[in-house]
Amino acid sequence: MPSKCSTKCLNQTHKVFFDSRSVPRAFWENGDEDVTIKILFCGVCHSDLHVAKNEWGFTNYPVVPGHEMVGTVMKVGSDVKKFKVGERVGVGVIVGSCKKCESCQQDLENYCPQTIFTYNSHYTDGTKTYGGYSDMIVVDERYVLRFPDNLPSEGGAPLLCAGITVYSPMKYYGMTEPGKHLGVAGLGGLGHVAVKMGKAFGLKVTVISSSPKKETEAIERLGADSFLVTSDPAKMKAALGTMDYIIDTVSAVHPLLPLLSLLKLNGKLVTVGLPDKPLELPIFPLVLGRKLVGGSDIGGMKETQEMLDFCAKHGITADVEVIRMDYINTAMERLAKSDVRYRFVIDVASSLSQ
Ligand code: NAP
Ligand code: ZN
């Protein structure tokens, strides 16, 4: 995409094109392999908040967050094969990679050393990427997803990050065997989708939460089998050694010992949350229980498409609070306090029509 950008392009996102009289035109620069997308909805991931507040220490302001987009194709480049104008599509966390390395060749673009993230990243020519809190984006077709017809745009948008982030480790680490017991630590955007996926895989699912108020919803609305509050020592003790797998989505620094203690022999703890400081890893329970601790980062494009199709088949969507763009600062404050049921999604179109 960057190599196609006109010298008259005044916006580093390659989004806005001005003609010779410097009058904005409704025209977005689009390379041969690019898809121009009008964004309809964009989810608000906790990573957006980490980056907006520079909690990871590598934010390069100005930043336009957003990596859970659903939109409509407005234009395709001459070499685009997968998409047509008018189709509904999705864009997630990455918009580029080298396409040549071992990871890219194995459909693991998310682990390419040259991954280009949807925002707070750079294209190969050095220009910055800006994300989905916006009305349009231009993306190389390799990083665009078909959006299944029966998935609603609002509830489906968060699958582009939250969905694939929990689906990929469940598949890779073999956490899908029906009848096994999955613990989901942190009932937020990622966690609530993990509960639904766990149930779709036929697992027994227990939510492990710091918020006692989420119990009824976790069981009655999201379909979890049971609920543990980490601050309840009696219940935590009763659950020791009962889980086969735990997926840890907690966004803040937290102790791993209580989670490792919930695992059975050979249990697996996979962490996907990205707190701003390192977690302490207790070695004794790992060694004595032959337990495994792993990590996982979103998923490749092929697997993301597989995940969307899986969700469409099983009727899995995120539970969302649809907001207008002008609510985003309040939404971020509420997200920081775990006060969202369970994903904010920006309705971009209605935000623009006053
Ligand atoms: P979220 O909606 O804010 O959910 C995080 C949950 O963590 C909260 O709902 C809360 O659950 C729990 N939590 C928060 N603060 C806590 C604390 N101080 N102590 C204990 N529990 C706490 O966030 P999200 O969008 O799901 O993202 C979760 C994390 O995953 C973030 O760090 C994000 O950056 C990361 N992430 C990673 C990837 C990846 O590819 N690996 C992709 C996307 C996001 P309870 O109220 O139930 O305790
Ligand atoms: Zn995300």
Side-chain angles (χ1 to χ4, degrees):
M1 177 162 67
S3 59
K4 307 287 179 188
C5 188
S6 158
T7 51
K8 290 176 188 162
C9 174
L10 299 184
N11 186 307
Q12 290 176 318
T13 60
H14 303 255
K15 289 177 177 174
V16 181
F17 185 90
F18 285 70
D19 74 8
S20 55
R21 294 159 299 166
S22 293
V23 176
R25 298 188 308 183
F27 179 81
W28 290 48
E29 196 57 35
N30 176 305
D32 294 344
E33 295 170 2
D34 291 343
V35 180
T36 298
I37 300 161
K38 178 179 158 55
I39 300 169
L40 300 173
F41 292 93
C42 183
V44 179
C45 178
H46 203 114
S47 300
D48 300 350
L49 179 58
H50 287 308
V51 171
K53 289 166 74 179
N54 194 22
E55 288 177 346
W56 292 331
F58 52 79
T59 301
N60 180 8
Y61 297 108
V63 155
V64 177
H67 56 207
E68 296 182 336
M69 282 159 260
V70 173
T72 310
V73 176
M74 304 299 287
K75 183 177 169 183
V76 292
S78 55
D79 292 342
V80 168
K81 297 185 181 62
K82 285 195 297 182
F83 302 103
K84 293 194 181 66
V85 170
E87 278 180 335
R88 213 164 46 124
V89 292
V91 177
V93 179
I94 64 174
V95 292
S97 64
C98 80
K99 302 183 180 175
K100 292 185 278 233
C101 70
E102 211 175 320
S103 296
C104 285
Q105 287 182 359
Q106 292 173 8
D107 296 308
L108 294 169
E109 300 92 337
N110 49 321
Y111 296 114
C112 168
Q114 293 171 45
T115 296
I116 301 172
F117 293 97
T118 304
Y119 64 84
N120 198 39
S121 190
H122 290 93
Y123 293 110
T124 48
D125 70 351
T127 56
K128 282 178 71 173
T129 61
Y130 292 100
Y133 296 7
S134 169
D135 59 342
M136 285 218 186
I137 192 163
V138 180
V139 183
D140 179 329
E141 72 164 330
R142 177 165 177 158
Y143 310 94
V144 178
L145 287 311
R146 273 186 298 100
F147 206 75
D149 288 341
N150 64 332
L151 276 183
S153 301
E154 305 91 312
L159 300 173
L160 275 316
C161 173
I164 185 60
T165 299
V166 294
Y167 180 86
S168 182
M170 288 172 84
K171 294 295 292 272
Y172 176 74
Y173 287 102
M175 297 162 67
T176 58
E177 200 181 324
K180 296 281 187 183
H181 189 181
L182 170 73
V184 176
L187 193 62
L190 271 55
H192 90 291
V193 177
V195 171
K196 296 185 184 192
M197 285 184 180
K199 291 314 297 175
F201 284 124
L203 305 172
K204 176 185 175 189
V205 179
T206 296
V207 171
I208 308 157
S209 174
S210 63
S211 309
K213 285 186 191 155
K214 293 181 181 172
E215 175 160 9
T216 309
E217 285 174 8
I219 291 173
E220 293 178 7
R221 184 163 130 193
L222 303 175
D225 298 285
S226 56
F227 188 90
L228 275 177
V229 186
T230 45
S231 57
D232 183 336
K235 282 198 176 159
M236 289 294 284
K237 192 173 172 196
L240 290 179
T242 59
M243 298 181 190
D244 298 284
Y245 335 115
I246 294 176
I247 185 154
D248 182 354
T249 73
V250 174
S251 55
V253 173
H254 58 289
L256 290 180
L257 183 60
L259 300 181
L260 288 170
S261 306
L262 293 172
L263 288 173
K264 294 178 184 171
L265 176 68
N266 301 328
K268 300 172 190 176
L269 168 66
V270 176
T271 178
V272 292
L274 291 165
D276 57 353
K277 297 204 174 50
L279 304 184
E280 197 172 303
L281 183 63
I283 292 301
F284 268 76
L286 280 190
V287 172
L288 300 182
R290 201 165 67 176
K291 294 171 187 175
L292 178 145
V293 175
S296 188
D297 182 34
I298 48 165
M301 302 318 300
K302 188 176 170 200
E303 193 175 42
T304 305
Q305 189 65 61
E306 176 190 307
M307 178 277 310
L308 286 176
D309 295 341
F310 174 87
C311 289
K313 184 174 165 197
H314 293 275
I316 296 173
T317 55
D319 287 24
V320 297
E321 287 191 43
V322 177
I323 60 168
R324 288 166 56 98
M325 195 64 235
D326 56 12
Y327 187 74
I328 191 64
N329 288 338
T330 308
M332 289 281 191
E333 282 166 20
R334 287 183 51 199
L335 182 60
K337 293 187 283 190
S338 307
D339 173 24
V340 50
R341 302 293 192 273
Y342 281 89
R343 196 59 136 191
F344 289 115
V345 172
I346 304 164
D347 181 341
V348 174
S350 90
S351 301
L352 294 175
S353 60
Q354 294 299 318

